[in-house]
Amino acid sequence: MACPLLRQCSKWNANCSSLFETLWYSNGRSVSFSTSSLGRTSWSSGPGNEGQPSALRRRTGPNTFNFTTSLTRHKLRLLDPSLKSCFCINSAHTDVKVQDPFTIAQEDLTNLYDDIRKELFVTKELKALCHYYFDGKGKAIRPMIVVLMARALNSHSNRSGELLPGQRAVAMITEMIHTASLVHDDVIDGSNRRRGKGTINELWGEKKAILAGDFILSVASITMARIGNNTVVKVFSQVIEDLVRGEFMQLGSKENENERFKHYLEKTFKKTASLIANSCKAVCVLVSSDPKVHEIAYQYGKNVGIAFQLVDDVLDFTSKANHLGKPSAADLKLGLATGPVLFACQQFPELHSMIMRRFSSKGDVDQAWQYVFQSDGVEQTKNLAQHYCQEAIRQISMLRPSAERDALIRLTEMVLTRDK
Protein backbone atom coordinates (compact mmCIF):
# COMPACT_ATOMS: atom_id res chain seq x y z
CA MET A 1 0.00 0.00 0.00
CA ALA A 2 1.11 3.56 -0.57
CA CYS A 3 1.27 4.68 3.01
CA PRO A 4 3.50 1.87 4.32
CA LEU A 5 5.95 2.90 1.60
CA LEU A 6 5.89 6.50 2.68
CA ARG A 7 6.30 5.55 6.32
CA GLN A 8 9.85 4.53 5.41
CA CYS A 9 10.63 8.23 4.87
CA SER A 10 11.40 8.80 8.52
CA LYS A 11 13.89 5.93 8.51
CA TRP A 12 15.96 7.20 5.63
CA ASN A 13 18.96 9.41 6.06
CA ALA A 14 17.52 12.84 5.34
CA ASN A 15 20.89 14.27 4.25
CA CYS A 16 22.13 11.77 1.75
CA SER A 17 19.30 9.62 0.41
CA SER A 18 16.34 10.67 -1.67
CA LEU A 19 12.90 9.33 -2.27
CA PHE A 20 13.58 9.83 -5.95
CA GLU A 21 16.80 7.79 -6.08
CA THR A 22 15.26 4.54 -4.89
CA LEU A 23 14.06 1.45 -6.70
CA TRP A 24 11.36 -0.86 -5.49
CA TYR A 25 11.51 -4.55 -6.35
CA SER A 26 8.26 -6.42 -6.81
CA ASN A 27 8.03 -10.20 -6.37
CA GLY A 28 11.77 -10.50 -6.84
CA ARG A 29 11.73 -8.82 -10.27
CA SER A 30 13.42 -5.53 -10.95
CA VAL A 31 11.05 -2.76 -12.04
CA SER A 32 13.03 -0.35 -14.17
CA PHE A 33 12.83 3.41 -13.97
CA SER A 34 12.13 5.47 -17.02
CA THR A 35 14.83 8.05 -17.57
CA SER A 36 14.74 11.30 -19.42
CA SER A 37 17.14 12.39 -22.11
CA LEU A 38 18.93 14.35 -19.41
CA GLY A 39 20.16 11.18 -17.74
CA ARG A 40 18.13 11.91 -14.59
CA THR A 41 15.24 10.14 -12.98
CA SER A 42 12.19 11.19 -14.95
CA TRP A 43 8.77 12.30 -13.82
CA SER A 44 6.00 11.67 -16.29
CA SER A 45 4.00 14.78 -17.05
CA GLY A 46 1.18 12.82 -18.62
CA PRO A 47 -2.28 12.46 -17.10
CA GLY A 48 -2.33 10.57 -13.86
CA ASN A 49 1.38 10.87 -13.07
CA GLU A 50 1.91 14.57 -12.48
CA GLY A 51 2.42 14.60 -8.74
CA GLN A 52 4.36 11.40 -8.26
CA PRO A 53 8.03 10.57 -8.25
CA SER A 54 8.74 7.64 -10.56
CA ALA A 55 9.55 5.45 -7.58
CA LEU A 56 5.93 5.67 -6.45
CA ARG A 57 4.29 4.40 -9.63
CA ARG A 58 3.71 0.76 -10.60
CA ARG A 59 3.85 -0.52 -14.14
CA THR A 60 0.71 0.07 -16.21
CA GLY A 61 2.45 0.37 -19.54
CA PRO A 62 5.97 0.41 -20.97
CA ASN A 63 7.19 3.29 -18.80
CA THR A 64 4.38 4.23 -16.45
CA PHE A 65 3.83 3.40 -12.81
CA ASN A 66 1.05 3.69 -10.24
CA PHE A 67 0.63 2.92 -6.58
CA THR A 68 0.46 -0.80 -5.78
CA THR A 69 -1.13 -2.74 -2.98
CA SER A 70 1.96 -4.83 -2.33
CA LEU A 71 4.56 -2.18 -1.43
CA THR A 72 5.01 -3.70 2.00
CA ARG A 73 6.64 -6.69 0.28
CA HIS A 74 9.06 -4.58 -1.70
CA LYS A 75 12.71 -4.04 -0.92
CA LEU A 76 14.35 -0.65 -1.01
CA ARG A 77 17.48 -0.37 -3.13
CA LEU A 78 19.42 2.44 -4.74
CA LEU A 79 18.55 2.94 -8.37
CA ASP A 80 22.03 3.60 -9.61
CA PRO A 81 25.25 3.86 -7.56
CA SER A 82 26.54 6.37 -10.09
CA LEU A 83 23.81 8.85 -9.22
CA LYS A 84 24.87 11.64 -6.91
CA SER A 85 23.32 11.64 -3.48
CA CYS A 86 20.70 14.24 -2.82
CA PHE A 87 22.12 17.57 -1.74
CA CYS A 88 21.80 18.42 1.91
CA ILE A 89 19.84 21.58 2.58
CA ASN A 90 22.62 22.95 4.75
CA SER A 91 25.57 21.92 2.61
CA ALA A 92 24.43 22.72 -0.92
CA HIS A 93 25.18 26.41 -0.59
CA THR A 94 28.28 28.15 -1.77
CA ASP A 95 30.79 29.51 0.74
CA VAL A 96 29.10 32.91 0.62
CA LYS A 97 26.51 33.46 3.31
CA VAL A 98 23.10 33.01 1.74
CA GLN A 99 20.80 35.99 1.96
CA ASP A 100 17.16 35.74 2.80
CA PRO A 101 15.24 35.00 -0.44
CA PHE A 102 12.75 37.77 0.30
CA THR A 103 15.61 40.27 0.68
CA ILE A 104 17.14 39.34 -2.68
CA ALA A 105 13.80 39.50 -4.49
CA GLN A 106 12.52 42.57 -2.67
CA GLU A 107 13.61 45.15 -5.24
CA ASP A 108 11.92 43.29 -8.08
CA LEU A 109 8.74 42.77 -6.06
CA THR A 110 8.47 46.27 -4.58
CA ASN A 111 6.02 47.61 -7.15
CA LEU A 112 4.57 44.27 -8.22
CA TYR A 113 1.14 44.79 -6.69
CA ASP A 114 1.01 48.41 -7.89
CA ASP A 115 1.67 47.23 -11.44
CA ILE A 116 -0.97 44.51 -11.16
CA ARG A 117 -3.53 47.03 -9.94
CA LYS A 118 -2.71 49.25 -12.94
CA GLU A 119 -3.43 46.30 -15.22
CA LEU A 120 -6.79 45.82 -13.48
CA PHE A 121 -7.99 49.33 -14.30
CA VAL A 122 -11.79 49.01 -14.50
CA THR A 123 -15.04 50.48 -13.23
CA LYS A 124 -15.21 51.44 -9.57
CA GLU A 125 -17.02 48.39 -8.15
CA LEU A 126 -15.12 45.77 -10.15
CA LYS A 127 -11.92 47.61 -9.32
CA ALA A 128 -12.64 47.27 -5.58
CA LEU A 129 -13.21 43.53 -5.95
CA CYS A 130 -10.14 42.91 -8.10
CA HIS A 131 -7.86 45.00 -5.90
CA TYR A 132 -9.04 43.40 -2.66
CA TYR A 133 -6.39 40.67 -2.52
CA PHE A 134 -3.72 42.73 -4.31
CA ASP A 135 -3.21 44.92 -1.27
CA GLY A 136 0.50 44.09 -0.91
CA LYS A 137 -0.08 42.14 2.29
CA GLY A 138 0.18 38.68 0.75
CA LYS A 139 3.30 36.54 1.12
CA ALA A 140 4.02 36.74 -2.64
CA ILE A 141 5.75 33.36 -2.45
CA ARG A 142 5.04 32.47 -6.08
CA PRO A 143 6.30 35.68 -7.71
CA MET A 144 9.31 35.58 -5.40
CA ILE A 145 10.20 32.09 -6.66
CA VAL A 146 9.71 33.28 -10.24
CA VAL A 147 11.97 36.30 -9.76
CA LEU A 148 14.72 34.29 -8.08
CA MET A 149 14.51 31.57 -10.73
CA ALA A 150 14.68 34.14 -13.53
CA ARG A 151 17.79 35.77 -12.10
CA ALA A 152 19.43 32.39 -11.42
CA LEU A 153 18.74 31.31 -15.00
CA ASN A 154 20.02 34.59 -16.41
CA SER A 155 23.28 34.10 -14.51
CA HIS A 156 23.46 30.47 -15.62
CA SER A 157 23.12 31.57 -19.26
CA ASN A 158 26.10 33.95 -18.98
CA ARG A 159 23.88 37.00 -19.05
CA SER A 160 23.41 39.79 -16.60
CA GLY A 161 21.39 38.64 -13.61
CA GLU A 162 18.98 41.51 -14.18
CA LEU A 163 15.35 40.64 -14.74
CA LEU A 164 14.03 40.85 -18.30
CA PRO A 165 10.73 42.73 -18.80
CA GLY A 166 9.04 39.52 -19.94
CA GLN A 167 10.25 37.67 -16.87
CA ARG A 168 8.80 40.29 -14.57
CA ALA A 169 5.53 40.03 -16.49
CA VAL A 170 5.55 36.29 -15.80
CA ALA A 171 5.83 37.02 -12.06
CA MET A 172 2.77 39.28 -12.32
CA ILE A 173 0.83 36.68 -14.31
CA THR A 174 1.68 34.02 -11.76
CA GLU A 175 0.27 36.07 -8.90
CA MET A 176 -2.83 37.00 -10.91
CA ILE A 177 -3.63 33.39 -11.79
CA HIS A 178 -3.02 32.33 -8.19
CA THR A 179 -5.29 35.06 -6.82
CA ALA A 180 -8.05 34.32 -9.34
CA SER A 181 -7.93 30.68 -8.29
CA LEU A 182 -8.30 31.71 -4.63
CA VAL A 183 -11.37 33.80 -5.45
CA HIS A 184 -12.98 30.87 -7.25
CA ASP A 185 -11.93 28.37 -4.57
CA ASP A 186 -13.59 30.46 -1.88
CA VAL A 187 -16.84 30.41 -3.84
CA ILE A 188 -16.68 26.64 -4.34
CA ASP A 189 -15.81 26.02 -0.68
CA GLY A 190 -18.18 28.64 0.71
CA SER A 191 -15.27 30.13 2.69
CA ASN A 192 -15.73 33.34 4.63
CA ARG A 193 -12.11 34.00 5.67
CA ARG A 194 -8.97 34.44 3.61
CA ARG A 195 -5.67 36.01 4.68
CA GLY A 196 -7.20 37.05 7.97
CA LYS A 197 -10.12 38.98 6.47
CA GLY A 198 -13.49 38.35 4.86
CA THR A 199 -13.53 36.68 1.45
CA ILE A 200 -14.77 38.42 -1.68
CA ASN A 201 -17.78 36.12 -1.91
CA GLU A 202 -18.65 36.89 1.71
CA LEU A 203 -18.51 40.65 1.16
CA TRP A 204 -19.81 41.03 -2.40
CA GLY A 205 -21.63 37.77 -3.06
CA GLU A 206 -20.83 34.70 -5.10
CA LYS A 207 -21.86 36.04 -8.52
CA LYS A 208 -19.61 39.08 -8.34
CA ALA A 209 -16.77 36.99 -6.88
CA ILE A 210 -16.92 34.60 -9.84
CA LEU A 211 -16.89 37.50 -12.28
CA ALA A 212 -13.98 39.13 -10.47
CA GLY A 213 -11.96 35.89 -10.68
CA ASP A 214 -12.79 35.57 -14.37
CA PHE A 215 -11.75 39.16 -15.02
CA ILE A 216 -8.41 38.71 -13.24
CA LEU A 217 -7.74 35.64 -15.42
CA SER A 218 -8.61 37.59 -18.56
CA VAL A 219 -6.19 40.39 -17.66
CA ALA A 220 -3.50 37.80 -16.94
CA SER A 221 -4.12 36.38 -20.43
CA ILE A 222 -3.76 39.81 -22.04
CA THR A 223 -0.50 40.39 -20.13
CA MET A 224 0.66 36.96 -21.26
CA ALA A 225 -0.05 37.76 -24.93
CA ARG A 226 1.96 40.99 -24.72
CA ILE A 227 5.09 39.00 -23.87
CA GLY A 228 4.93 37.73 -27.45
CA ASN A 229 6.20 34.20 -26.83
CA ASN A 230 4.01 31.29 -27.92
CA THR A 231 5.69 28.85 -25.57
CA VAL A 232 4.87 31.04 -22.59
CA VAL A 233 1.22 31.12 -23.70
CA LYS A 234 1.16 27.31 -24.01
CA VAL A 235 2.78 26.87 -20.61
CA PHE A 236 0.25 29.06 -18.81
CA SER A 237 -2.63 27.51 -20.74
CA GLN A 238 -1.56 24.19 -19.22
CA VAL A 239 -1.62 25.80 -15.77
CA ILE A 240 -5.23 26.91 -16.16
CA GLU A 241 -6.26 23.48 -17.41
CA ASP A 242 -4.52 21.85 -14.45
CA LEU A 243 -6.27 24.18 -12.00
CA VAL A 244 -9.68 23.19 -13.33
CA ARG A 245 -8.87 19.48 -13.44
CA GLY A 246 -7.43 19.66 -9.95
CA GLU A 247 -10.59 21.27 -8.63
CA PHE A 248 -12.68 18.49 -10.16
CA MET A 249 -10.38 15.91 -8.56
CA GLN A 250 -10.87 17.59 -5.20
CA LEU A 251 -14.63 17.29 -5.55
CA GLY A 252 -14.33 13.50 -5.72
CA SER A 253 -12.58 10.73 -3.83
CA LYS A 254 -11.39 7.23 -4.65
CA GLU A 255 -13.32 4.27 -3.30
CA ASN A 256 -10.21 2.12 -3.58
CA GLU A 257 -8.17 3.15 -0.55
CA ASN A 258 -4.96 2.10 -2.30
CA GLU A 259 -5.50 4.74 -4.99
CA ARG A 260 -6.22 7.62 -2.63
CA PHE A 261 -2.66 8.78 -2.07
CA LYS A 262 -1.99 8.76 -5.80
CA HIS A 263 -5.18 10.79 -6.30
CA TYR A 264 -4.11 13.19 -3.52
CA LEU A 265 -0.66 13.81 -5.01
CA GLU A 266 -2.04 14.32 -8.52
CA LYS A 267 -4.57 16.81 -7.19
CA THR A 268 -1.82 18.56 -5.22
CA PHE A 269 0.27 18.91 -8.36
CA LYS A 270 -2.56 20.30 -10.46
CA LYS A 271 -3.95 22.72 -7.88
CA THR A 272 -0.67 24.02 -6.44
CA ALA A 273 2.55 22.80 -8.01
CA SER A 274 1.67 23.17 -11.69
CA LEU A 275 1.51 26.96 -11.45
CA ILE A 276 4.92 27.17 -9.75
CA ALA A 277 6.54 24.60 -12.05
CA ASN A 278 5.26 26.13 -15.26
CA SER A 279 5.99 29.69 -14.13
CA CYS A 280 9.60 28.68 -13.54
CA LYS A 281 9.65 27.12 -17.00
CA ALA A 282 8.12 30.26 -18.52
CA VAL A 283 10.90 32.56 -17.29
CA CYS A 284 13.40 29.96 -18.50
CA VAL A 285 12.21 29.83 -22.11
CA LEU A 286 12.64 33.60 -22.31
CA VAL A 287 16.37 33.33 -21.70
CA SER A 288 17.42 29.82 -22.74
CA SER A 289 16.62 27.47 -25.60
CA ASP A 290 18.18 24.48 -23.84
CA PRO A 291 15.47 21.91 -22.93
CA LYS A 292 17.74 20.54 -20.20
CA VAL A 293 17.65 23.89 -18.43
CA HIS A 294 13.88 24.15 -18.97
CA GLU A 295 13.52 20.80 -17.23
CA ILE A 296 15.64 21.89 -14.26
CA ALA A 297 13.48 24.98 -13.74
CA TYR A 298 10.27 22.98 -14.12
CA GLN A 299 11.32 20.19 -11.77
CA TYR A 300 12.43 22.63 -9.08
CA GLY A 301 9.07 24.39 -9.21
CA LYS A 302 7.15 21.12 -9.21
CA ASN A 303 8.92 19.68 -6.19
CA VAL A 304 8.84 22.88 -4.15
CA GLY A 305 5.17 23.32 -5.04
CA ILE A 306 4.19 19.85 -3.84
CA ALA A 307 6.25 20.29 -0.66
CA PHE A 308 4.61 23.65 -0.03
CA GLN A 309 1.13 22.11 -0.22
CA LEU A 310 2.10 19.16 1.97
CA VAL A 311 3.27 21.59 4.65
CA ASP A 312 0.08 23.60 4.17
CA ASP A 313 -1.92 20.44 4.82
CA VAL A 314 0.08 19.88 8.01
CA LEU A 315 -0.55 23.45 9.16
CA ASP A 316 -4.28 22.88 8.78
CA PHE A 317 -3.89 20.55 11.77
CA THR A 318 -1.15 22.30 13.73
CA SER A 319 -1.68 26.06 13.30
CA LYS A 320 -4.12 28.19 15.20
CA ALA A 321 -6.84 29.70 13.04
CA ASN A 322 -5.82 33.30 13.75
CA HIS A 323 -2.22 32.51 12.81
CA LEU A 324 -3.06 30.73 9.57
CA GLY A 325 -5.49 33.41 8.43
CA LYS A 326 -8.29 30.90 7.83
CA PRO A 327 -10.17 28.37 9.98
CA SER A 328 -8.15 25.40 11.21
CA ALA A 329 -9.38 21.91 10.27
CA ALA A 330 -10.80 23.61 7.19
CA ASP A 331 -9.95 20.63 4.97
CA LEU A 332 -11.77 18.15 7.19
CA LYS A 333 -14.80 20.42 7.33
CA LEU A 334 -14.77 20.53 3.52
CA GLY A 335 -14.67 16.74 3.43
CA LEU A 336 -11.06 16.56 2.20
CA ALA A 337 -8.65 13.82 3.20
CA THR A 338 -5.13 15.26 3.01
CA GLY A 339 -1.73 13.71 3.76
CA PRO A 340 -2.01 13.56 7.57
CA VAL A 341 -5.38 11.79 7.34
CA LEU A 342 -4.24 9.35 4.66
CA PHE A 343 -1.20 8.39 6.71
CA ALA A 344 -3.35 8.06 9.83
CA CYS A 345 -5.53 5.52 7.98
CA GLN A 346 -2.77 2.96 8.37
CA GLN A 347 -3.14 3.04 12.15
CA PHE A 348 -6.87 3.79 12.27
CA PRO A 349 -8.75 1.97 9.48
CA GLU A 350 -11.97 3.48 10.82
CA LEU A 351 -11.01 6.60 8.86
CA HIS A 352 -11.73 4.89 5.53
CA SER A 353 -15.49 5.01 5.95
CA MET A 354 -15.28 8.63 7.14
CA ILE A 355 -13.29 9.55 4.03
CA MET A 356 -15.87 7.98 1.74
CA ARG A 357 -18.70 9.96 3.34
CA ARG A 358 -16.41 13.04 3.34
CA PHE A 359 -16.63 13.45 7.13
CA SER A 360 -20.28 14.37 6.81
CA SER A 361 -21.71 12.43 9.78
CA LYS A 362 -22.00 14.04 13.18
CA GLY A 363 -18.73 13.81 15.07
CA ASP A 364 -16.65 12.74 12.04
CA VAL A 365 -14.49 15.87 11.96
CA ASP A 366 -13.65 15.72 15.66
CA GLN A 367 -12.99 11.98 15.57
CA ALA A 368 -10.78 12.24 12.48
CA TRP A 369 -8.88 15.07 14.14
CA GLN A 370 -8.20 12.86 17.16
CA TYR A 371 -7.06 9.94 15.00
CA VAL A 372 -4.60 12.13 13.14
CA PHE A 373 -2.99 13.33 16.36
CA GLN A 374 -2.91 9.85 17.84
CA SER A 375 -1.09 8.64 14.74
CA ASP A 376 2.16 9.69 13.09
CA GLY A 377 0.27 11.22 10.14
CA VAL A 378 1.53 14.75 10.67
CA GLU A 379 5.15 13.65 11.06
CA GLN A 380 5.03 11.39 8.00
CA THR A 381 3.59 14.20 5.88
CA LYS A 382 6.44 16.45 7.02
CA ASN A 383 8.93 13.73 6.08
CA LEU A 384 7.41 13.41 2.63
CA ALA A 385 7.61 17.19 2.15
CA GLN A 386 11.28 17.05 3.11
CA HIS A 387 12.01 14.51 0.40
CA TYR A 388 10.31 16.64 -2.23
CA CYS A 389 12.46 19.56 -1.08
CA GLN A 390 15.57 17.40 -1.37
CA GLU A 391 14.72 16.67 -4.98
CA ALA A 392 14.15 20.38 -5.62
CA ILE A 393 17.63 21.06 -4.24
CA ARG A 394 19.15 18.36 -6.42
CA GLN A 395 17.58 19.93 -9.49
CA ILE A 396 18.44 23.58 -8.85
CA SER A 397 22.00 22.69 -7.85
CA MET A 398 22.64 21.76 -11.48
CA LEU A 399 22.66 25.49 -12.32
CA ARG A 400 25.82 27.55 -12.05
CA PRO A 401 26.37 29.08 -8.59
CA SER A 402 24.75 32.43 -7.95
CA ALA A 403 23.20 34.28 -5.03
CA GLU A 404 19.74 33.62 -6.47
CA ARG A 405 20.38 29.91 -6.96
CA ASP A 406 21.48 29.60 -3.36
CA ALA A 407 18.46 31.62 -2.25
CA LEU A 408 16.23 29.08 -4.00
CA ILE A 409 18.00 26.33 -2.06
CA ARG A 410 17.48 28.30 1.15
CA LEU A 411 13.84 28.68 0.23
CA THR A 412 13.27 24.93 0.47
CA GLU A 413 14.26 25.08 4.14
CA MET A 414 11.85 27.97 4.67
CA VAL A 415 9.05 25.95 3.04
CA LEU A 416 9.63 23.14 5.51
CA THR A 417 9.83 25.35 8.59
CA ARG A 418 7.07 27.88 7.88
CA ASP A 419 4.26 28.15 10.41
CA LYS A 420 1.67 30.02 8.33
Side-chain angles (χ1 to χ4, degrees):
M1 295 176 65
C3 292
L5 158 65
L6 299 174
R7 187 169 289 115
Q8 298 296 326
C9 291
S10 62
K11 300 178 183 178
W12 299 341
N13 185 326
N15 291 333
C16 63
S17 67
S18 170
L19 180 64
F20 313 94
E21 295 178 358
T22 59
L23 179 66
W24 290 89
Y25 280 74
S26 177
N27 300 324
R29 291 185 295 107
S30 173
V31 180
S32 61
F33 257 84
S34 61
T35 54
S36 69
S37 60
L38 309 184
R40 301 193 304 277
T41 306
S42 72
W43 288 47
S44 169
S45 59
N49 289 326
E50 293 88 345
Q52 308 168 56
S54 299
L56 297 182
R57 301 196 296 272
R58 63 171 161 80
R59 187 184 299 272
T60 57
N63 289 306
T64 60
F65 295 77
N66 287 312
F67 283 109
T68 170
T69 60
S70 60
L71 287 178
T72 53
R73 301 194 303 271
H74 296 176
K75 299 178 182 179
L76 181 66
R77 294 187 57 183
L78 287 178
L79 170 65
D80 185 347
S82 66
L83 285 175
K84 293 182 179 180
S85 296
C86 185
F87 288 84
C88 170
I89 289 178
N90 293 322
S91 64
H93 305 166
T94 61
D95 293 334
V96 180
K97 184 178 179 180
V98 181
Q99 290 183 333
D100 175 71
F102 289 93
T103 302
I104 294 180
Q106 184 176 11
E107 182 177 349
D108 293 312
L109 298 177
T110 299
N111 300 315
L112 181 81
Y113 288 111
D114 289 338
D115 291 342
I116 290 176
R117 287 194 292 268
K118 290 176 184 177
E119 295 289 335
L120 298 170
F121 182 76
V122 284
T123 59
K124 185 175 181 180
E125 185 176 24
L126 186 54
K127 178 180 179 181
L129 271 72
C130 293
H131 288 194
Y132 187 63
Y133 286 151
F134 296 113
D135 56 5
K137 296 180 181 179
K139 295 186 289 290
I141 291 289
R142 290 157 187 82
M144 180 189 68
I145 292 174
V146 170
V147 164
L148 292 175
M149 178 62 75
R151 285 182 171 272
L153 291 165
N154 292 350
S155 297
H156 179 80
S157 302
N158 293 319
R159 301 170 63 101
S160 165
E162 293 301 310
L163 216 58
L164 301 177
Q167 291 174 325
R168 192 172 190 280
V170 168
M172 293 171 57
I173 294 165
T174 300
E175 187 67 359
M176 282 192 277
I177 292 177
H178 170 59
T179 301
S181 73
L182 295 183
V183 175
H184 286 160
D185 280 355
D186 288 340
V187 173
I188 293 170
D189 298 339
S191 300
N192 57 14
R193 300 291 292 174
R194 169 75 66 180
R195 296 177 178 174
K197 59 184 182 180
T199 57
I200 289 178
N201 51 289
E202 178 74 8
L203 298 175
W204 282 278
E206 291 185 354
K207 292 181 180 179
K208 290 182 178 179
I210 292 170
L211 291 173
D214 289 346
F215 181 74
I216 294 170
L217 280 177
S218 69
V219 174
S221 299
I222 293 171
T223 307
M224 193 188 311
R226 283 205 301 263
I227 295 175
N229 186 293
N230 288 336
T231 302
V232 171
V233 173
K234 291 177 182 178
V235 164
F236 277 117
S237 297
Q238 183 63 55
V239 170
I240 296 172
E241 178 186 334
D242 285 342
L243 283 169
V244 176
R245 289 183 180 274
E247 196 62 54
F248 269 100
M249 291 182 72
Q250 184 163 288
L251 292 174
S253 57
K254 291 291 184 180
E255 288 189 23
N256 187 335
E257 60 196 56
N258 300 313
E259 296 179 0
R260 285 191 194 131
F261 219 103
K262 172 178 175 288
H263 183 87
Y264 166 64
L265 288 178
E266 288 176 10
K267 182 267 296 180
T268 296
F269 169 80
K270 291 182 184 297
K271 284 203 57 160
T272 303
S274 175
L275 175 59
I276 301 175
N278 284 294
S279 296
C280 288
K281 182 177 179 179
V283 292
C284 186
V285 300
L286 292 175
V287 73
S288 172
S289 60
D290 188 347
K292 296 181 181 180
V293 182
H294 297 176
E295 184 73 2
I296 290 171
Y298 179 88
Q299 291 294 342
Y300 174 86
K302 174 193 282 187
N303 284 283
V304 164
I306 293 175
F308 186 91
Q309 186 58 51
L310 288 170
V311 172
D312 204 58
D313 293 343
V314 166
L315 292 176
D316 194 49
F317 284 92
T318 60
S319 270
K320 294 180 180 179
N322 59 351
H323 196 192
L324 198 58
K326 58 184 178 180
S328 57
D331 292 331
L332 285 177
K333 293 171 184 175
L334 290 172
L336 305 179
T338 56
V341 176
L342 296 176
F343 278 117
C345 284
Q346 299 306 298
Q347 293 166 263
F348 297 98
E350 301 91 333
L351 281 166
H352 292 306
S353 58
M354 295 184 192
I355 291 172
M356 287 313 302
R357 61 178 179 259
R358 296 180 72 86
F359 310 104
S360 60
S361 294
K362 184 177 180 179
D364 277 359
V365 170
D366 290 338
Q367 186 61 68
W369 180 279
Q370 292 300 322
Y371 283 149
V372 168
F373 280 100
Q374 291 170 28
S375 73
D376 59 359
V378 167
E379 191 61 33
Q380 292 302 326
T381 307
K382 290 179 181 177
N383 290 339
L384 183 58
Q386 182 178 18
H387 283 282
Y388 277 102
C389 281
Q390 287 176 338
E391 176 64 5
I393 291 171
R394 188 177 77 84
Q395 294 288 341
I396 199 65
S397 295
M398 296 179 191
L399 297 184
R400 292 192 180 99
S402 66
E404 289 78 14
R405 187 205 71 166
D406 288 353
L408 288 169
I409 293 173
R410 172 76 176 90
L411 181 66
T412 63
E413 183 180 336
M414 296 172 66
V415 165
L416 292 173
T417 58
R418 71 190 183 94
D419 58 3
K420 61 180 179 179

